[in-house]
Amino acid sequence: MNHNRLPYIVLFATFLLFVSCDKSGKLKNPFQKKKPSVEYAMLPLEDSLPKLSDAYKKTKKREIENFFTNNFANDFENMSFLVAKNGQIIYEKYDGFADKENNVLNSPETPLHIASVTKVLTASAILKLVEAKKITLDQKLTTLFKGFPYPDVTIRTLLNHRSGLKKYNYFCDDKAIWGRDKTLTNKDILNILITKNIPLDYKTDTHFTYNNTNYVLLALIIEKVTGKRYSKAMKEIIFDPLEMKNTFVFDETTPIEKGTPSYKFNYQKYPFDFLDAVYGDKNIYSTPRDLLKFDLARNAPTFLPKKILDEVYKGYSYESKGIKNYGLGIRLREWETGQKLYYHNGWWHGNTASYINLKKENAVIIALSNKFTRKTFQMKRLSVLFGDYPFTLKDTVATE
């Protein structure tokens, strides 16, 4: 034997020990990273969307500035605001205090509490798990939570607010059930539903009632299926892949000082209360720029299969006449013209938020505020700058 070749023979033999064949006979590489069981969100390629001309952006920027001047004059305090089309920012503005006591101003990197806009992100993570076949839309919660006492409640009826469950903030402040003197968590709410004989408000899937309890349970389903805390699962499925670097979940493990303060209209600071550790229905902090990345991914054809998207962007509640409806984690307005507007508002303590997804025009309007104002809910009127929506830029009536 040629002893000079011995080291190479040993090296090759060692390599063979680490490489094996799968059932199809193909070699498996042990150094290759294991493919995740859930396909994470992905940003579309930058050059995949048409570029806006400078003239177009200049015109739209002027129209947006005129909207604020004509409706709010200089009263645009504590608003983080962004308008974009095809992923390109047309206009953004950051105003007011992130922390008035310490004279810290809001900036593009300041995470603000997005209140119920959180539901859009929670729903998106659930839908990614549906895509991965970890759960199904019509799966009953009795298959996920032992002792769950509502046999007809499904994941779909949580997403579209047709579960019939009671609102947790309506019964958990009762001392006989929980009380306001101790912090409430998602797991506490589930345990209360299982053990305290809380009746349904109405028979499941008979009509719509907007209800935070639904999204508390959806967050727990994410934890159950992934085996990870909601905060970590959201980071892995949504935040990190989309480079949402200033976005995080606030829960009972989060230091209070990490949350950007919110204020009443007179700059009186809102204190934390016993409901402030509950997540899924609220408690994501983010920025307009991060939410723009999320919007870009959500609208990309690679985000979810068409079969699932068709279930997301349709109304489920037609018991009462009107243009307002709710899909799977998104509000919608449907007009007789066939035009549809997709959006979600939020309000928690002094925080208000609005996410307006102009799906057809691939435009987005995002408004966040940490000092109480209803102005955020008026921003959907800017949709007329991009499509045929029946709003007016002149009227200043708040439209939630």
Side-chain angles (χ1 to χ4, degrees):
M1 177 181 291
N2 186 343
H3 293 283
N4 292 332
R5 297 180 60 187
L6 185 59
Y8 299 101
I9 294 171
V10 172
L11 182 62
F12 181 69
T14 303
F15 174 76
L16 289 177
L17 288 174
F18 280 95
V19 177
S20 60
C21 295
D22 61 20
K23 292 180 180 179
S24 66
K26 293 181 180 179
L27 289 175
K28 293 193 298 183
N29 184 348
F31 304 109
Q32 184 177 349
K33 288 185 178 180
K34 186 178 179 182
K35 187 177 181 181
S37 57
V38 178
E39 291 291 338
Y40 298 153
M42 291 180 62
L43 278 170
L45 296 175
E46 189 175 343
D47 58 359
S48 64
L49 298 169
K51 294 295 181 186
L52 304 176
S53 70
D54 290 340
Y56 178 88
K57 289 191 285 187
K58 186 176 181 180
T59 298
K60 294 303 174 188
K61 181 178 180 181
R62 183 174 64 250
E63 290 172 338
I64 295 166
E65 288 174 339
N66 288 340
F67 170 79
F68 287 119
T69 300
N70 294 335
N71 290 286
F72 309 131
N74 295 320
D75 185 18
F76 190 61
E77 192 176 50
N78 271 71
M79 189 81 75
S80 292
F81 177 76
L82 180 151
V83 179
K85 181 176 170 62
N86 294 347
Q88 299 154 59
I89 296 173
I90 294 171
Y91 182 91
E92 62 181 335
K93 184 176 176 68
Y94 302 89
D95 192 77
F97 291 95
D99 185 346
K100 185 170 175 59
E101 290 79 4
N102 295 298
N103 202 36
V104 179
L105 297 175
N106 277 323
S107 75
E109 290 75 40
T110 304
L112 299 182
H113 195 298
I114 66 173
S116 283
V117 174
T118 294
K119 292 180 173 70
V120 184
L121 282 83
T122 299
S124 295
I126 284 285
L127 294 166
K128 294 300 286 182
L129 294 173
V130 170
E131 179 192 20
K133 297 184 169 29
K134 300 293 183 181
I135 49 177
T136 65
L137 284 174
D138 295 313
Q139 185 170 346
K140 294 186 175 184
L141 267 67
T142 52
T143 67
L144 293 162
F145 303 124
K146 185 178 180 180
F148 192 76
Y150 314 103
D152 296 324
V153 174
T154 64
I155 292 173
R156 189 190 299 269
T157 61
L158 297 180
L159 286 165
N160 63 18
H161 293 294
R162 296 177 62 85
S163 68
L165 294 167
K166 281 190 176 295
K167 300 176 181 180
Y168 72 85
N169 48 317
Y170 284 12
F171 59 78
C172 283
D173 60 354
D174 182 344
K175 284 189 176 180
I177 294 174
W178 185 261
R180 302 177 63 90
D181 58 346
K182 52 184 177 179
T183 300
L184 183 72
T185 69
N186 289 49
K187 289 181 181 178
D188 293 326
I189 294 171
L190 177 61
N191 186 54
I192 289 168
L193 290 172
I194 291 172
T195 63
K196 296 293 186 179
N197 196 29
I198 307 295
L200 289 172
D201 270 345
Y202 56 86
K203 185 179 177 182
T204 299
D205 206 21
T206 57
H207 67 273
F208 169 88
T209 298
Y210 185 83
N211 183 355
N212 289 328
T213 305
N214 296 325
Y215 279 74
V216 167
L217 294 174
L218 287 169
L220 288 174
I221 290 171
I222 291 170
E223 292 186 338
K224 177 83 173 181
V225 173
T226 64
K228 298 171 183 175
R229 290 189 66 87
Y230 172 79
S231 55
K232 187 172 182 182
M234 293 300 291
K235 190 170 168 28
E236 290 185 3
I237 298 172
I238 306 288
F239 305 159
D240 281 355
L242 299 184
E243 300 175 10
M244 298 170 70
K245 296 178 181 178
N246 295 303
T247 300
F248 65 91
V249 172
F250 188 99
D251 61 21
E252 69 270 23
T253 69
T254 310
I256 287 179
E257 58 272 15
K258 187 173 181 179
T260 304
S262 72
Y263 300 93
K264 299 179 181 179
F265 69 94
N266 60 357
Y267 262 125
Q268 183 179 348
K269 188 176 178 180
Y270 268 95
F272 280 87
D273 66 27
F274 80 111
L275 299 175
D276 273 310
V278 179
Y279 49 80
D281 59 331
K282 62 180 187 309
N283 269 18
I284 287 179
Y285 283 74
S286 191
T287 67
R289 289 183 182 179
D290 274 5
L291 290 174
L292 170 60
K293 293 175 181 178
F294 167 75
D295 181 74
L296 263 176
R298 185 178 168 92
N299 288 333
T302 54
F303 185 70
L304 287 169
K306 184 180 183 301
K307 184 178 179 181
I308 295 178
L309 287 176
D310 288 345
E311 299 298 307
V312 173
Y313 292 108
K314 72 177 185 181
Y316 285 85
S317 302
Y318 292 96
E319 299 84 19
S320 302
K321 289 186 177 180
I323 63 170
K324 294 183 179 180
N325 215 309
Y326 204 94
L328 301 184
I330 195 76
R331 288 187 180 274
L332 62 147
R333 293 193 182 185
E334 302 174 289
W335 291 279
E336 291 181 358
T337 60
Q339 181 67 293
K340 295 182 181 182
L341 177 76
Y342 302 100
Y343 69 102
H344 214 295
N345 290 335
W347 177 2
W348 181 247
H349 295 333
N351 306 288
T352 54
S354 191
Y355 164 70
I356 300 109
N357 170 218
L358 306 180
K359 190 173 174 60
K360 184 178 177 182
E361 295 81 13
N362 203 20
V364 65
I365 302 162
I366 300 163
L368 310 175
S369 179
N370 64 324
K371 178 174 176 283
F372 179 74
T373 178
R374 292 181 179 271
K375 295 182 181 68
T376 48
F377 305 139
Q378 296 188 40
M379 298 308 164
K380 62 175 64 66
R381 293 195 281 120
L382 286 168
S383 60
V384 301
L385 299 180
F386 300 97
D388 183 22
Y389 296 94
F391 296 114
T392 171
L393 294 174
K394 296 179 181 178
D395 123 41
T396 57
V397 176
T399 54
E400 292 191 44

